[in-house]
Structures are given as structure tokens and as C-alpha cells.
Amino acid sequence: MKIKVADSAGFCIGVKRAFELTEKILKKYNYKNIFATGEIVHNSSVTKYFNNKNLKIVKDLSKIPNDSVLIIRAHGIEDNLRNKIIKRNIKYYDATCPYVAKFKLVAEKLEKEGYFILIFGDKEHAEIKTITSNIKNFKILSTIEEFERLGNFGDKKIALLSQTTQSVELFKEVVKILVDKTSQLFIFNTICDATKKRQNAAVRLAKEVDIMIVLGSKNSANSFRLYSICKEINPETYMVDNIYELDKNVLKGKNLVGITAGASTPDWIINEAVHFLKNFEY
Ligand code: F3S
């Protein structure tokens, strides 16, 4: 069985930065009394890794003592929560991905310039909650159909932004739809480079292999996006947290296995999969 790993797979710059910062802070404070505003990144093995190092995830910030150390995860935090942390004088470190932080500023600037903002993303996702926490004139839409159902905006100034992990192809479709509904449309492509690179590499590989394995957690938006894109190209696509979760029957008769991994999937999960498959015999 031959194995090929996508040219671009695994940790992106934002995740790597959040991971390294968390490691540093845990060590600095002797693995004691350190909390995070959620999973540092959306990956179960990373979460387990930090959990073993005594990082506690806190949903309700009012529950943490004043002398705690807090890490803001890669998806950022809503402004009202950040203000509460500052007000309580809690020591905090910010692992928000710089792209998410930039995207937030862009949305705020566009609102000040009089734009109504349409965001192509998932309103329940932490990144989108962060980005929209200081704007009022916006709407979040998660499907092409929702954009199609929008009425005509006439002369209204419309700005289109996207969740950083959105599909590039779907974003292009949204642009086409909006062109017919607006006379003043500002498009800011906020899909980050890491997402684009991983999607392009996954598409190339999915076309070539007998079976495609996407390594990533189900709550990772970018991993799930990779899975959906690959599945359309290659129906033999499977998404698992790690290689041990894969139903090995799907490997029967396959000669070339492709592996890709979401931006929040660590190298050790990719290496483990490669190692396992190299030694696997059906
Ligand atoms: Fe940031 Fe893009 Fe990664 S937004 S966390 S660099 S997928």
C-alpha cells in the first residue's frame, strides 16, 4: 500500500502560535491554576494533550479565581468577555490567530464606513462570535440557499466577508449571487491562506488516490471543510480523529492512500497514521 500526504496539511501558523504560546505559559506558571477560554484549537488530541498538563477549560469566566492565569484560545474572544477579564484584572495571554484579529478589525472598519456586512460562515462558531462581537449591522449566512433567498439591496452599501475556513469555491458562488442583488458590493476575501493551501492540496490529492483520509476532529470547521471538498471529488473519503478510528475494511483493495489533515491537527497524528498504514496489511 502506497501512502501520500497532501503538500499542505496539519498545523497552520495561527494554530502553531496558539499551541506554542500555551506550552510556554503552562511551563512559566508551573502547570498550576491556568485556564483557557475553550479548546485552544479544535482538535481532541491537542485538547487531551493540554488537559494532561493541567490546563483547565472554563465556560463561565466568573467561576475562575482572580489570581488565575487565562489563555484566550485561537478563535479569539467576544469583546464583552474580554472587558470582563480586564475589569477583574485577571492575568491573560492572547492566543487569538492574527488573521482572526485582522478580520475582526476589517468588519468594524467597514461598519464605520456605512456598510451592511454579510458574513459567509457559521454563527455558532467561536471565530464568528469574536468577529461580530463589536458590530451591529451584519447578517451571518451559512449556505448558498440562504444567499439566494436574500432580496435586492438596491443602493445599500454591502460588504461580503467570510469565515477564515470557508470553501473558496462556495465563496465564489456567493459572490456571483450577490452581484445580481447589489449595486455597491465590497468583497473582502477573508478566507485565510492556510485554508486555501490545504484545500488546493487536498483537491489535487483526492483526484489521484484510491482512498482519502482526512485527519481532524468533527468540531474543526476547516477539517470538516476539507472532508466535504474531498468527498465530492473522491467518494472514498473518510474523516477520523486518528487512524485507529478508521474502519479498516475501507482499505481493502486500495493501493494508493491519500492523507490530509486539518489546520488544527498535530503532526504526531499525521505521523502515526503514516506509520500505521505503512505497516498495515489487509
Ligand atoms: Fe488562523 Fe487560518 Fe489557522 S485563520 S488559525 S491561520 S486556519
Side-chain angles (χ1 to χ4, degrees):
M1 187 182 286
K2 274 196 190 160
I3 301 132
K4 264 195 168 183
V5 179
D7 296 340
S8 188
F11 273 14
C12 60
I13 262 182
V15 167
K16 190 167 181 281
R17 182 179 167 275
F19 187 91
E20 287 173 358
L21 180 68
T22 306
E23 284 267 57
K24 211 166 111 187
I25 301 308
L26 284 164
K27 198 169 169 201
K28 180 171 175 172
Y29 293 96
N30 233 354
Y31 307 92
K32 280 186 198 131
N33 214 14
I34 305 167
F35 296 83
T37 54
E39 282 186 290
I40 291 294
V41 299
H42 281 151
N43 183 271
S44 61
S45 53
V46 171
T47 302
K48 203 164 150 200
Y49 175 85
F50 285 132
N51 190 29
N52 287 339
K53 294 194 169 196
N54 214 15
L55 177 70
K56 296 179 191 75
I57 292 175
V58 61
K59 288 219 166 90
D60 181 356
L61 290 175
S62 67
K63 299 248 160 70
I64 63 170
N66 281 346
D67 61 350
S68 315
V69 173
L70 186 67
I71 303 173
I72 294 176
R73 60 171 164 175
H75 313 90
I77 192 168
E78 291 149 73
D79 276 13
N80 65 328
L81 296 176
R82 185 188 289 269
N83 292 340
K84 277 185 191 163
I85 297 166
I86 294 170
K87 212 168 163 191
R88 280 183 62 197
N89 224 2
I90 290 172
K91 194 165 193 58
Y92 75 95
Y93 293 85
D94 195 348
T96 306
C97 170
Y99 288 104
V100 174
K102 181 180 161 198
F103 176 9
K104 183 174 186 298
L105 291 177
V106 166
E108 288 165 7
K109 184 169 175 278
L110 287 169
E111 185 184 54
K112 279 194 192 107
E113 288 171 8
Y115 284 93
F116 183 80
I117 299 158
L118 298 177
I119 300 176
F120 186 26
D122 170 10
K123 63 173 181 286
E124 296 306 326
H125 195 278
E127 173 195 318
I128 296 297
K129 287 185 180 172
T130 297
I131 282 149
T132 56
S133 64
N134 194 27
I135 55 172
K136 288 190 184 71
N137 298 308
F138 69 93
K139 191 175 171 78
I140 303 159
L141 301 102
S142 59
T143 62
I144 296 290
E145 293 69 35
E146 284 178 54
F147 279 95
E148 277 168 342
R149 282 200 294 272
L150 289 173
N152 200 296
F153 289 98
D155 278 347
K156 202 167 173 179
K157 286 168 81 176
I158 299 296
L160 172 69
L161 305 181
S162 165
Q163 192 166 337
T164 54
T165 49
Q166 193 54 264
S167 148
V168 177
E169 290 311 311
L170 290 179
F171 188 69
K172 286 181 192 165
E173 276 189 48
V174 167
V175 172
K176 273 193 212 153
I177 294 167
L178 286 180
V179 164
D180 286 335
K181 295 177 186 280
T182 51
S183 55
Q184 293 197 73
L185 177 62
F186 182 89
I187 301 159
F188 201 107
N189 183 355
T190 40
I191 300 173
C192 91
D193 277 352
T195 300
K196 287 181 215 154
K197 276 188 191 151
R198 275 153 193 71
Q199 287 179 7
N200 290 339
V203 165
R204 284 196 299 273
L205 191 57
K207 284 179 185 162
E208 191 189 328
V209 297
D210 300 323
I211 179 171
M212 193 72 189
I213 299 168
V214 181
L215 297 166
S217 293
K218 306 276 178 300
N219 63 345
S220 158
N222 77 84
S223 304
F224 192 73
R225 189 68 60 197
L226 283 179
Y227 166 74
S228 315
I229 291 170
C230 292
K231 184 89 180 163
E232 272 204 19
I233 296 165
N234 186 333
E236 291 274 4
T237 296
Y238 301 89
M239 180 172 166
V240 284
D241 248 305
N242 58 65
I243 196 66
Y244 301 112
E245 275 190 359
L246 184 76
D247 173 2
K248 307 305 174 296
N249 288 317
V250 300
L251 296 169
K252 196 175 179 183
K254 307 292 192 308
N255 295 317
L256 184 55
V257 183
I259 296 178
T260 187
S264 44
T265 304
D267 275 358
W268 71 77
I269 292 290
I270 302 174
N271 295 338
E272 178 185 79
V274 172
H275 181 76
F276 176 89
L277 291 169
K278 267 188 184 160
N279 297 302
F280 180 78
E281 280 176 35
Y282 196 85

